[in-house]
Amino acid sequence: MDGLPTTMKSERRWRSKPLQASRPSIFMAFFSCVAWLYVAGRLWQDAENRTLLTNLLNKNLDKRPKVLSLEDKLTVLGCKDLERRIVEAEMELTLAKSQGYLKNQIQKSGASSGQKLLAVIGVYTGFGSRLKRNVFRGSWMPKGDALRKLEERGIVIRFVIGRSANRGDSLDRNIDEENRSTKDFLILEGHEEAQEELPKKAKFFFSAAVQMWDAEYYVKVDDNINLDLEGLIEMLDRRRGQDGAYIGCMKSGDVITEEGKPWYEPDWWKFGDEKSYFRHAWGSLLVLSKNLAQYINVNSASLKTYAHDDVSVGSWMMGLQATYIDDNRLCCSSIRQDKVCSVA
């Protein structure tokens, strides 16, 4: 009998241990169920929201603004039609210029209406070169009535000059006063007369000359030479009707790459590893036929200039069907007896 209680106590301890061990499992199971229900509820809610949004988008699909392309926007704004008209106008303007219908195209005194001149000769000059101009007027260049009679023969000669950097100053006033007396200037209103702007002067001269006079040839002359005027006229008269003529004393030569040296070319790297200029009419006198001068006029805004005006003109001729005419009579520094120019 004494062993009975001991046995019963052992049985009770054995039965209570599984009950105590199962409680954490029950709690874990409970929390797992709760977590599963929470996650399932959120997923169901998100699915409902997506369904609701999809239905709303489908319902308002026709009401959404259309995404316009750039072409659609141009059409809506009317810019496409405007762009087309601008392009057409630019093409018509270019064609009109090339055919000689140019703004402010006038005939100067001494050239009768409809008369085609043989040549327009532009003599480059500067503000400080009045003495040189007077020397020319007393030597190879006619003046006064003789200049007007020369125009009747089809030859126009003008001193070519731009405007002062300080517009309207004494430099400009002196030129205007001299021109009123001699009437032998072509004043380039859009050009600033300065040494560093000299390459651009060619563009302004040929553009202005081809607008003002209808001639076979346009001649650029520097003011450091004397001209055999009758010899030049005879030479050009023999070449009447020759389109695409680029006439001068042709050469190429080395490109000066060292800054500070005479004839330095800032764009020297554009002339390749050999550093040699392309063939061009160099020196103080060159001649262009009318169609080449017109090309410069039409395209002057986009033509590149280099450090020297003769190189600049030569670069413009490279892409054209120009006929290069190397005439030694235009080499002013040569020792030929029949040359038409000589160093002053």
Side-chain angles (χ1 to χ4, degrees), residues 45-173:
Q45 187 177 8
D46 289 346
E48 271 200 336
N49 289 339
R50 284 196 296 272
T51 303
L52 179 62
L53 289 173
T54 301
N55 292 335
L56 289 174
L57 289 173
N58 290 334
K59 185 182 294 184
N60 296 319
L61 183 62
D62 295 335
K63 298 179 181 179
R64 285 189 300 168
K66 181 181 178 183
V67 179
L68 297 178
S69 65
L70 178 61
E71 293 292 324
D72 293 333
K73 290 178 181 177
L74 288 173
T75 302
V76 171
L77 296 174
C79 292
K80 195 168 185 65
D81 181 62
L82 180 60
E83 180 185 19
R84 177 183 57 79
R85 285 185 287 168
I86 290 175
V87 172
E88 290 177 352
E90 289 177 343
M91 292 175 64
E92 290 175 358
L93 178 60
T94 300
L95 178 62
K97 281 185 175 182
S98 67
Q99 293 177 344
Y101 298 98
L102 304 166
K103 184 180 179 180
N104 297 330
Q105 183 171 357
I106 58 175
Q107 294 289 340
K108 290 294 183 181
S109 59
S112 60
S113 177
Q115 175 189 1
K116 189 170 182 106
L117 303 169
L118 174 61
V120 175
I121 302 173
V123 183
Y124 280 20
T125 190
F127 292 118
S129 299
R130 183 161 189 164
L131 180 58
K132 281 187 177 181
R133 291 193 291 271
N134 288 334
V135 170
F136 289 165
R137 292 183 184 115
S139 57
W140 62 264
M141 180 176 172
K143 58 183 179 179
D145 292 339
L147 187 65
R148 304 298 168 265
K149 290 181 179 179
L150 185 65
E151 292 178 4
E152 293 175 2
R153 291 177 55 192
I155 305 296
V156 170
I157 304 178
R158 294 290 185 272
F159 287 111
V160 182
I161 194 169
R163 285 299 190 182
S164 169
N166 303 311
R167 294 300 178 93
D169 63 7
S170 59
L171 297 176
D172 281 345
R173 292 195 298 272

Side-chain angles (χ1 to χ4, degrees), residues 184-202:
D184 57 3
F185 277 88
L186 171 57
I187 300 176
L188 307 175
E189 297 292 344
H191 174 64
E192 179 182 323
E193 190 65 37
Q195 184 63 34
E196 62 272 16
E197 298 295 322
L198 187 60
K200 296 180 182 178
K201 192 171 183 177

